[in-house]
């Protein structure tokens, strides 16, 4: 890591529910780690969950989800642009509706202790407290991490108070085969 860059810990939620879900996440994390100012430090286990959807929406394929701890020298907005470029490379259309199936989904959960509320970015992620598929893998990596306002709680506390009742199954094998194979 270059000494002239201020590096920050960040946590990303990753998921996919189209195609070879694990392979797509794995490839995206390899590409993310290859960027000059991003280092993938740790990844959670892979979790499978049914897709959240709007009332009346047809069933869509199940998601594979996980959380990634990175160190980055990028600003939060530059990191968002980098992750959106990876989603686009995987075939996700920016014009697709919010609840549509996707080959890759990357959400910025937290970038350092930064808070933001702009048209393009809200930090911490505004719905993380409603998503066990985010909180369970995140608690694997950093259960005592303090999530700033508006949550003002640890990841573990947010998991314990999460009302999401969707089934969530931890899968065997790593979320990122290529980066962390034994």
């Amino acid at each position: 890591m270059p000494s002239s860059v201020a590096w920050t810990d960040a946590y990303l939620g990753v998921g996919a529910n189209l195609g070879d879900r694990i392979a797509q996440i794995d490839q995206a994390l390899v590409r993310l780690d290859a960027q000059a100012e991003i280092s993938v430090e740790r990844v959670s286990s892979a979790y499978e969950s049914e897709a959240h959807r709007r009332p009346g929406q047809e069933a869509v394929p199940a998601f594979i989800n996980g959380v990634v701890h990175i160190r980055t020298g990028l600003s939060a907005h530059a990191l968002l642009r980098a992750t959106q470029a990876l989603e686009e490379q995987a075939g996700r259309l920016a014009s697709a509706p919010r609840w549509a199936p996707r080959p890759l989904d990357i959400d910025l959960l937290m970038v350092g202790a930064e808070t933001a509320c702009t048209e393009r970015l809200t930090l911490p992620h505004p719905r993380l407290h409603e998503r066990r598929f985010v909180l369970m893998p995140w608690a694997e990596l950093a259960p005592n991490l303090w999530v700033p306002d508006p949550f003002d709680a640890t990841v573990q506390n947010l998991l314990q108070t999460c009302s999401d009742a969707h089934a969530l199954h931890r899968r065997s094998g790593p979320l990122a085969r290529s980066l962390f194979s034994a």
Side-chain angles (χ1 to χ4, degrees), residues 16-150:
N17 74 335
L18 292 177
D20 185 341
R21 302 166 299 168
I22 291 282
Q24 287 170 172
I25 292 169
D26 183 59
Q27 290 168 8
L29 295 182
V30 167
R31 287 185 187 122
L32 191 67
D33 191 60
Q35 295 187 33
E37 291 187 20
I38 299 173
S39 173
V40 175
E41 299 293 311
R42 296 181 305 149
V43 297
S44 71
S45 299
Y47 287 81
E48 188 165 30
S49 66
E50 67 181 83
H52 286 212
R53 57 184 196 243
R54 286 183 286 218
Q57 182 182 3
E58 289 183 24
V60 295
F63 267 90
I64 293 292
N65 291 295
V67 170
V68 181
H69 169 214
I70 67 169
R71 301 242 335 125
T72 184
L74 297 175
S75 70
H77 281 86
L79 182 58
L80 177 65
R81 285 189 299 276
T83 59
Q84 288 175 334
L86 291 172
E87 290 175 335
E88 188 177 305
Q89 288 170 10
R92 181 172 177 186
L93 303 174
S95 61
R98 178 173 168 211
W99 299 90
R102 49 196 69 160
L104 182 65
D105 185 34
I106 304 174
D107 290 331
L108 276 61
L109 303 176
M110 206 168 118
V111 179
E114 187 174 343
T115 58
C117 188
T118 68
E119 185 178 315
R120 296 193 35 86
L121 178 64
T122 302
L123 286 173
H125 190 286
R127 290 173 299 284
L128 65 85
H129 68 295
E130 301 169 347
R131 299 174 171 177
R132 270 189 23 181
F133 66 85
V134 166
L135 293 168
M136 185 78 73
W138 199 2
E140 258 186 50
L141 300 179
N144 298 317
L145 180 68
W146 190 260
V147 182
D149 282 337

